[in-house]
Amino acid sequence: MDISRRTVLGGALAGIAAGTAGLSPAGLPRASAAELSRDGIDWADFLASADLRWRRMPKTWYEGPFLGNGFLGSGIYAEPERNAVRFNVQHSQVQDHRPQFGSLFGLARLPIGYFTLEPVGAITGLDWRLDLWNAELTGTITTAVGSLELRAIVHTGQSLLAVEVRPSEGERGFQWVFHPAKAISPRADPVWKKPPPEGYAENPPVQLRQAGDAHLAIQPLLAGGEHVTAWREVARGSARTLYTSVAWSHPEKTSAVRALRTVRQASALDVLTWDHRRWWHDYYQRSFLSIPDTRLQSFYWIQLYKVASAARREAPVMATSGPWLENTPWPATWWNLNVQLEYWLIQGSNHLELDAVSYALGKYRDRLTSQVAKPYQADSAGIPRTTDMTLLNGLADATSGYPVGIPGQDTPTPEVGNLTWALHNVWLSYRHTMDRQLLRDTLFPLLRRAINYYLHFLAPGPDGRLHLPATFSPEYGVNAPDTNYDLALIRWGCKTLLDTARELRIADPLAGKWQQVLATLTDYPADENGYMIGAGVPFAKSHRHYSHLLQIYPLYEITWEQPEHREIIETSLNHWVGFEGALQGYTFTGAASISAQMLRGEKAAYYLGELQQRYIQPNTMYKESGPVIETPLSAAKSMQDMLVQGWGGVLRLFPAVPEAWGDIALRDFRTEGAFLLSASREGGKTRWLKVHSEAGAPCVLRPGIDGELTVTDAHGRPRRWRRLANGDVQVDLGRGQDAYVCRRGDRPDFTVRPVAPGSASDPWGMP
């Protein structure tokens, strides 16, 4: 958890960005020195408008504040049926280690426990604020005999929850009480009706110990190892501060020393918050987005807070509820949609430092070979539907965890495309950074094995085209040959392998096979209602997943810019969303992003509105049967798709914005090709854009600026550019160079500032 190097690097990068983004071409007005330091943005004031507020007591995970650092997480809400407030203590590395019981039981995330803040008097009111800029909960609890003023953080670089409480005279007797949880898979709770496998037992009881002025809750595990919660309360003047740390180790039992050291070395909260705040301030300033819809703008910035609270590069890939484990039937990492959606917003928002997917797939790649059946392990790889933090599934069956099946066989369920789809996330990280090492060391070798698995089963049919035996399209419920889910991933995978081999100058002996697949693979099955699940299996019931539409989004294999495909895209979207009943939140984020590709800003905004009204909870969390985290995060990506699209080698600016978003401001929006894009839209028209090239990749813009253009460098000198036949703008831009684009004769100052709000809206939370 030592992130000091990344903290310093992030600060340096943010300082460079803040110092250069306000530059204007020669002769144009320049921002003041004060504006240059923040790029025209008063960050504390701007983010304060997105803070979550509570004037009523939150009662559940879906209502309360949340703090985290990718490892340690705390959700805060009322203790049921008691005069107390719960501070959950959970950790993304704390899991079981009994693979014989599968990823859903034997390798499941394990609950740790929670503290209750127990006042002297009955709670009569509260006033809380989740301060995004400082990643800190502040506020007051009012009771019948006084008040408790509190501040709380989960430190960004330490496994440490710190809660400072300043009681009034009548509340000096308040107390903290720790409640350890049973170390058992949450899926074993009878409420979920998922009976554990035979022989599965809960781990031994927790051992509570005193260690000087500190306390320990030591949780031994049957498989060896342990996790330990340490806590200590320190009084300084009128304040009492609770310090809590969690440490995990397996198979060693070394956690107690580390957890104790953390709480004993913890500084006063004012000192702790210095580097904590610096990290968060640097984090937010890596990019900027402002729209007139204040409710949606606040939602976006809360998702950026949430993803940095839930994800770090070296942290486990997010499980379904992130680091805030609650009672859930899904106490594992889910790879057939959840993971992919959880991380999509990090590229555009310029936060590749959170990319745990690329990191984990690279680190644990050997596990992926072992997840396919033995006859295929020599040259293939796959990832099961569910894994632990090391990408292990353990025992694979319908009770304990879902394996990688075999096409053409009903059992185990042949869900085989999840690794290829996860590698699309890696490809996105490559395309947004042009990092050849990521391409060479992780994407290419793993994608080669993932596509090899398909190659074992593709065979020519009577029509001479290659066909795939029956597989499972997540999570429609039946197997089908030639599923659109798998055909889309095969096409994308073969194209990407060929492109990558050329980029890396690899003469791969399989290149001819990949070309043959692209030339002879069967067409996507379709009927009068659009794309089917697979050959012979129509889309005929309400279904939340858009697995059968991956070729449209996010793979962009079938696009709105191809006129011959417009009818089937529209028909498929309308037919899918038209089936009410089983739709869920990410149905509407997918529909919004597909609508954005169709250049329909009003429709995309409509779907995001439906999402907010139907599914998003007061604190912007989300639930189905249990708590899940991916949908709100993917909604932020849908917003990005409305503002910038970078697929197919073209940067499309403001492709699908509703009329009400007349003014928009962007800074350092990261795009494919490793460009940082800044832009301003005023009165419904694009005023200017700036593009910075990190890698010197070809730069083709669709700026949407009316009339003749001026394209210059930072000093006002003309840049070489040309207008393509379709109206796009190609700019000669080398590594490290900038281009400023505006309408000829216009003289913007190229400074990014928040846009005026369209109308007032209530803050998120429970105001």
Side-chain angles (χ1 to χ4, degrees):
M1 295 236 4
D2 179 7
I3 62 163
S4 58
R5 180 178 178 275
R6 296 200 308 283
T7 299
V8 172
L9 178 61
L13 291 173
I16 292 169
T20 61
L23 290 174
S24 301
L28 297 181
R30 291 184 178 273
S32 69
E35 288 172 332
L36 284 173
S37 68
R38 293 295 190 196
D39 194 19
I41 301 163
D42 182 335
W43 278 92
D45 181 70
F46 174 75
L47 282 180
S49 67
D51 288 351
L52 297 91
R53 313 281 186 87
W54 287 265
R55 298 301 297 270
R56 293 173 288 143
M57 178 66 75
K59 297 181 179 179
T60 67
W61 186 89
Y62 309 101
E63 295 179 347
F66 50 93
L67 305 166
N69 61 13
F71 294 87
L72 184 66
S74 181
I76 302 145
Y77 50 85
E79 176 67 1
E81 300 180 359
R82 292 190 59 195
N83 184 54
V85 179
R86 174 185 293 200
F87 283 72
N88 278 307
V89 178
Q90 308 295 351
H91 198 285
S92 61
Q93 289 178 314
V94 170
Q95 65 164 75
D96 216 333
H97 300 279
R98 293 181 281 171
Q100 67 270 29
F101 298 117
S103 59
L104 301 180
F105 289 94
L107 298 172
R109 289 274 309 278
L110 294 176
I112 296 171
Y114 60 92
F115 286 89
T116 49
L117 173 58
E118 302 184 357
V120 175
I123 297 173
T124 59
L126 59 83
D127 186 357
W128 291 351
R129 181 177 193 138
L130 185 52
D131 177 349
L132 299 185
W133 177 236
N134 294 315
E136 180 175 329
L137 176 66
T138 63
T140 303
I141 300 170
T142 305
T143 75
V145 297
S147 64
L148 300 165
E149 182 182 341
L150 65 86
R151 296 171 60 198
I153 65 168
V154 166
H155 192 277
T156 191
Q158 302 179 47
S159 181
L160 182 67
L161 167 66
V163 186
E164 179 188 87
V165 180
R166 294 182 182 272
S168 67
E169 184 64 32
E171 280 293 347
R172 290 188 182 278
F174 82 89
Q175 62 179 344
W176 288 102
V177 178
F178 182 65
H179 307 264
K182 289 185 177 181
I184 187 171
S185 170
R187 193 176 176 90
D189 190 319
V191 71
W192 304 121
K193 301 179 181 179
K194 306 286 186 183
E198 185 176 353
Y200 176 77
E202 67 183 67
N203 285 286
V206 69
Q207 301 167 3
L208 298 176
R209 296 180 184 172
Q210 190 86 16
D213 63 347
H215 303 267
L216 293 172
I218 301 172
Q219 177 60 67
L221 301 176
L222 289 171
E226 64 185 4
H227 62 262
V228 174
T229 305
W231 67 97
R232 175 174 174 252
E233 195 174 7
V234 177
R236 295 184 180 94
S238 63
R240 288 163 51 188
T241 304
L242 175 73
Y243 298 102
T244 304
S245 182
V246 175
W248 157 88
S249 57
H250 175 79
E252 304 86 1
K253 292 190 174 183
T254 60
S255 300
V257 172
R258 290 186 288 119
L260 269 175
R261 182 168 59 246
T262 300
V263 298
R264 283 176 172 161
Q265 293 180 352
S267 306
L269 191 58
D270 283 341
V271 177
L272 274 175
T273 56
W274 187 85
D275 59 336
H276 173 78
R277 290 181 174 185
R278 182 182 63 177
W279 189 94
W280 279 97
H281 297 174
D282 290 346
Y283 168 79
Y284 286 122
Q285 293 180 83
R286 295 292 300 275
S287 64
F288 181 75
L289 180 157
S290 180
I291 59 175
D293 186 329
T294 53
R295 179 82 166 168
L296 200 55
Q297 176 180 278
S298 297
F299 174 86
Y300 179 84
W301 286 99
I302 294 167
Q303 303 323 299
L304 288 189
Y305 165 79
K306 184 188 297 178
V307 74
S309 299
R312 300 297 165 87
R313 179 176 179 268
E314 296 87 351
V317 174
M318 278 185 266
T320 53
S321 54
W324 304 290
L325 183 66
E326 285 279 306
N327 195 18
T328 175
W330 306 308
T333 302
W334 238 260
W335 290 91
N336 64 356
L337 175 139
N338 302 68
V339 165
Q340 289 84 349
L341 272 63
E342 287 165 352
Y343 288 89
W344 277 347
L345 82 163
I346 67 174
Q347 280 92 17
S349 61
N350 198 18
H351 289 298
L352 274 298
E353 74 276 13
L354 304 180
D355 183 11
V357 176
S358 297
Y359 179 80
L361 290 176
K363 182 176 182 179
Y364 301 112
R365 68 181 64 196
D366 292 344
R367 290 276 167 90
L368 305 179
T369 295
S370 68
Q371 299 303 297
V372 297
K374 286 186 178 179
Y376 310 104
Q377 290 180 2
D379 64 1
S380 301
I383 199 164
R385 185 184 304 177
T386 58
T387 72
D388 75 346
M389 64 180 173
T390 68
L391 311 191
L392 182 64
N393 188 37
L395 176 71
D397 60 39
T399 298
S400 303
Y402 306 95
V404 178
I406 299 174
Q409 297 186 14
D410 289 338
T411 304
T413 302
E415 184 176 287
V416 300
N418 299 333
L419 175 57
T420 307
W421 193 7
L423 287 168
H424 179 259
N425 277 48
V426 180
W427 179 83
L428 287 173
S429 288
Y430 160 68
R431 284 290 300 152
H432 284 76
T433 60
M434 305 303 287
D435 179 353
R436 287 172 62 89
Q437 183 177 351
L438 180 62
L439 187 69
R440 180 186 64 246
D441 296 347
T442 302
L443 180 62
F444 185 75
L446 282 178
L447 185 58
R448 192 178 189 275
R449 280 184 164 269
I451 293 300
N452 269 349
Y453 191 56
Y454 281 118
L455 297 183
H456 285 290
F457 305 101
L458 286 172
D463 58 357
R465 309 292 294 275
L466 287 175
H467 293 268
L468 188 67
T471 58
F472 183 77
S473 177
E475 295 176 342
Y476 191 73
V478 298
N479 298 340
D482 292 334
T483 61
N484 279 318
Y485 175 71
D486 291 294
L487 293 182
L489 292 168
I490 291 169
R491 281 196 170 88
W492 173 82
C494 287
K495 288 179 181 177
T496 302
L497 285 169
L498 288 167
D499 291 343
T500 302
R502 283 191 292 269
E503 174 69 21
L504 298 175
R505 299 181 181 179
I506 295 174
D508 197 292
L510 286 174
K513 182 63 175 179
W514 302 330
Q515 291 170 338
Q516 179 195 5
V517 170
L518 291 175
T520 61
L521 189 64
T522 188
D523 294 333
Y524 295 115
D527 61 14
E528 67 277 6
N529 293 316
Y531 288 116
M532 304 164 68
I533 295 298
V537 179
F539 188 92
K541 64 179 181 180
S542 184
H543 179 44
R544 59 187 178 169
H545 277 245
Y546 49 96
S547 308
H548 65 303
L549 302 180
L550 292 194
Q551 63 273 26
I552 303 172
Y553 184 84
L555 301 182
Y556 293 102
E557 293 293 307
I558 299 292
T559 76
W560 191 253
E561 292 182 10
Q562 301 160 334
E564 68 273 20
H565 293 142
R566 289 186 175 182
E567 182 177 356
I568 195 168
I569 290 173
E570 185 160 21
T571 300
S572 300
L573 174 60
N574 292 340
H575 184 64
W576 168 51
V577 179
F579 269 114
E580 288 284 356
L583 303 183
Q584 292 291 350
Y586 53 75
T587 306
F588 293 90
T589 68
S593 288
I594 293 173
S595 297
Q597 186 195 139
M598 298 165 69
L599 311 180
R600 295 181 177 175
E602 302 295 341
K603 199 66 175 178
Y606 165 79
Y607 286 127
L608 290 181
E610 289 293 293
L611 170 73
Q612 292 181 77
Q613 294 174 21
R614 298 192 193 192
Y615 299 101
I616 300 300
Q617 302 300 302
N619 62 358
T620 79
M621 290 294 190
Y622 170 74
K623 65 178 177 179
E624 290 187 13
S625 299
V628 276
I629 195 175
E630 81 292 316
T631 293
L633 299 178
S634 72
K637 169 60 174 171
S638 298
M639 291 178 62
Q640 294 175 353
D641 290 334
M642 297 167 70
L643 300 177
V644 178
Q645 296 176 26
W647 52 273
V650 179
L651 305 186
R652 302 161 181 83
L653 181 61
F654 305 137
V657 297
E659 185 177 354
W661 297 7
D663 296 344
I664 302 173
L666 295 177
R667 187 199 21 96
D668 289 343
F669 189 103
R670 183 171 288 275
T671 73
E672 290 188 30
F675 297 104
L676 294 177
L677 183 66
S678 303
S680 176
R681 179 178 172 89
E682 300 176 11
K685 295 183 180 296
T686 303
R687 179 82 186 275
W688 60 264
L689 69 89
K690 171 201 166 188
V691 60
H692 171 79
S693 175
E694 289 188 341
C699 180
V700 179
L701 307 172
R702 193 168 297 168
I705 299 176
D706 297 333
E708 294 299 316
L709 302 180
T710 295
V711 182
T712 69
D713 66 10
H715 302 286
R717 297 172 299 204
R719 283 225 173 269
R720 292 181 59 187
W721 67 282
R722 65 189 183 96
R723 183 83 71 171
L724 302 180
N726 67 352
D728 290 347
V729 174
Q730 184 171 5
V731 182
D732 291 345
L733 205 57
R735 184 190 303 269
Q737 293 183 334
D738 299 327
Y740 294 79
V741 183
C742 64
R743 184 172 54 82
R744 182 179 297 174
D746 196 5
R747 299 173 69 83
D749 67 4
F750 294 95
T751 299
V752 176
R753 297 183 179 88
V755 304
S759 60
S761 65
D762 289 334
W764 291 92
M766 302 177 69

